[in-house]
Amino acid sequence: MKFVDQTRVFVQSGKGGNGCVSFRREKYIEFGGPNGGDGGKGGDVIVEAVAGLNTLVDYRYKRHYKAQKGQHGMGKNMTGASGDDLIMQVPVGTQVYDEDMEFQIADLSKVGDRVVLAKGGEGGLGNTHFKSSTNRAPRRTTPGGESEEMYVVLRLKLIADAGLVGLPNAGKSTFLSAVSRAKPKIADYPFTTISPQLGVVGVGENEFVLADIPGLIEGAHEGHGLGTRFLGHVERCGVLLHLVDGTQEDVVAAYETIMEELTEYGGGLRDKPMIVGLNKCDAIPEDELEEKRVALQDAAARPVMVLSGATQEGVRDVLSALWDVVKEDIAQRHIEEDGSEEDDSTSTGGSWSPI
């Protein structure tokens, strides 16, 4: 299945049905009177996060979504049927933006999160509502409410606890395949990974989700290589694992290139907790490995872990270090979610509020 993480769609709610002008005309009933029914309400357009999806490919090829109209009112005080709501199912982690991506409408970060993008028009009133002692045969109705329409941008940010960053061929895919059951493409040329990959990593009795994104190169923020379009998938991560290929000549330059791209991208990525790993240690002489580790540690101003995804050397230590940060991030999120639920109970709501 093709991975699609951003698309632009047009949504339109249903128009409300018109009210009806009708009078009772029955034999043996001397004075009939008005009995026009109300129109039905138009359907809403709702976006809902569901489990089992991991791409927005369904919205790449079909771009227009319109909810059902409400039926017009009928005689005998029969109200028209309301239009069915249109529910657009998206992966967990989908964000909804306005057409120009200037503000975020919703962030659907949990299964069951939903938001009404376009409300259906209200049904019009039939002439029954307008009868009075001075107007016994009203011919007045109201039309159904107009529909709402807009263009929105759906953007998927995968939900992962930890993320992998580094230059192309730094060994990120090899590391992911070594610690999980994910099967990313692995080859000896750059950009073998062209879309984000997820893997579930086990650390003792605990598990967390690790995301691998395509490698960055110098100038990625200007669109070089695959650019920074996939960095959004690690914005939600609690910790980043920065892998540096130990077989290259200048490991410090490789580290600084990635850090510069993270800075240019923004999103708080540079300030996230980070573990730096000097990878492919099995292919480097010990004296050279130690020299590069010390140089990289001085440049990064943090400890550097040595590992090899191919031989599994040092991998368990790296996973333990990742889990130490991930478990704290998970605990903090639970605290924030509990607090937000209490706040929601006293909220008065407003436009664009999730339903």
Side-chain angles (χ1 to χ4, degrees):
M1 180 183 294
K2 185 176 181 180
F3 181 81
V4 176
D5 64 347
Q6 184 169 315
T7 185
R8 176 173 173 268
V9 296
F10 173 82
V11 298
Q12 182 181 51
S13 62
K15 185 180 183 299
N18 298 329
C20 173
V21 174
S22 176
F23 296 92
R24 294 182 64 179
R25 301 182 185 278
E26 303 171 47
K27 195 175 182 181
Y28 307 121
I29 297 181
E30 185 175 358
F31 301 103
N35 69 345
D38 300 338
K41 177 185 177 299
D44 299 334
V45 178
I46 301 171
V47 178
E48 180 179 17
V50 299
L53 295 178
N54 57 12
T55 176
L56 294 172
V57 66
D58 293 338
Y59 302 100
R60 168 60 62 88
Y61 303 106
K62 182 183 177 184
R63 298 294 187 94
H64 289 75
Y65 294 86
K66 299 180 180 180
Q68 193 175 35
K69 298 178 181 178
Q71 291 186 0
H72 301 314
M74 294 167 281
K76 300 183 180 180
N77 287 320
M78 290 191 292
T79 300
S82 295
D84 293 334
D85 293 337
L86 175 62
I87 300 179
M88 302 169 61
Q89 296 184 333
V90 297
V92 175
T94 299
Q95 295 177 328
V96 185
Y97 289 88
D98 71 304
E99 180 180 5
D100 299 321
M101 295 195 71
E102 293 180 351
F103 67 91
Q104 185 183 108
I105 297 173
D107 186 358
L108 310 178
S109 59
K110 300 188 298 295
V111 174
D113 283 355
R114 49 164 47 192
V115 63
V116 177
L117 288 184
K119 291 189 67 67
E122 296 295 331
L125 300 178
N127 65 336
T128 303
H129 287 272
F130 302 98
K131 66 180 179 181
S132 67
S133 59
T134 57
N135 186 3
R136 308 301 295 273
R139 295 184 176 274
R140 177 185 171 190
T141 63
T142 59
E146 293 297 324
S147 61
E148 296 179 356
E149 59 183 49
M150 67 183 74
Y151 282 94
V152 296
V153 175
L154 303 178
R155 185 184 184 192
L156 173 62
K157 291 184 179 179
L158 295 177
I159 303 296
D161 299 306
L164 285 168
V165 295
L167 290 172
N169 275 16
K172 301 187 299 299
S173 296
T174 300
F175 181 86
L176 181 64
S177 65
V179 300
S180 71
R181 293 186 177 181
K183 301 298 181 185
K185 184 177 181 180
I186 300 173
D188 59 352
Y189 55 85
F191 298 114
T192 52
T193 300
I194 59 175
S195 65
Q197 304 286 328
L198 292 179
V200 178
V201 180
V203 182
E205 297 180 353
N206 304 300
E207 291 183 342
F208 65 91
V209 179
L210 180 65
D212 173 27
I213 63 170
L216 302 173
I217 62 173
E218 185 176 359
H221 66 279
E222 299 175 347
H224 297 178
L226 293 178
T228 57
R229 61 164 297 183
F230 295 116
L231 276 178
H233 295 289
V234 294
E235 281 187 29
R236 302 179 189 270
C237 296
V239 59
L240 299 178
L241 174 58
H242 184 169
L243 290 183
V244 179
D245 182 359
T247 61
Q248 55 190 351
E249 290 295 329
D250 194 344
V251 294
V252 173
Y255 170 83
E256 292 177 344
T257 295
I258 296 299
M259 297 305 292
E260 178 65 23
E261 295 306 321
L262 296 183
T263 301
E264 293 293 337
Y265 176 81
L269 289 183
R270 180 163 187 143
D271 299 327
K272 281 186 176 294
M274 181 180 293
I275 294 173
V276 179
L278 188 60
N279 198 14
K280 304 183 182 180
C281 67
D282 58 307
I284 313 171
E286 288 189 9
D287 55 343
E288 181 182 345
L289 177 64
E290 180 60 19
E291 181 182 338
K292 290 182 174 180
R293 187 192 68 80
V294 172
L296 184 57
Q297 185 167 286
D298 291 342
R302 70 186 80 201
V304 174
M305 306 189 74
V306 176
L307 71 148
S308 170
T311 65
Q312 304 281 312
E313 181 181 347
V315 168
R316 283 297 160 190
D317 293 336
V318 172
L319 293 182
S320 297
L322 286 173
W323 172 247
D324 289 340
V325 182
V326 167
K327 66 181 180 183
E328 293 181 4
D329 182 63
I330 293 175
Q332 182 62 34
R333 288 205 304 265
H334 287 166
I335 293 173
E336 293 175 354
E337 288 174 1
D338 292 341
S340 64
E341 288 176 1
E342 294 176 1
D343 294 341
D344 289 344
S345 64
T346 58
S347 174
T348 57
S351 299
W352 307 112
S353 295
I355 61 173

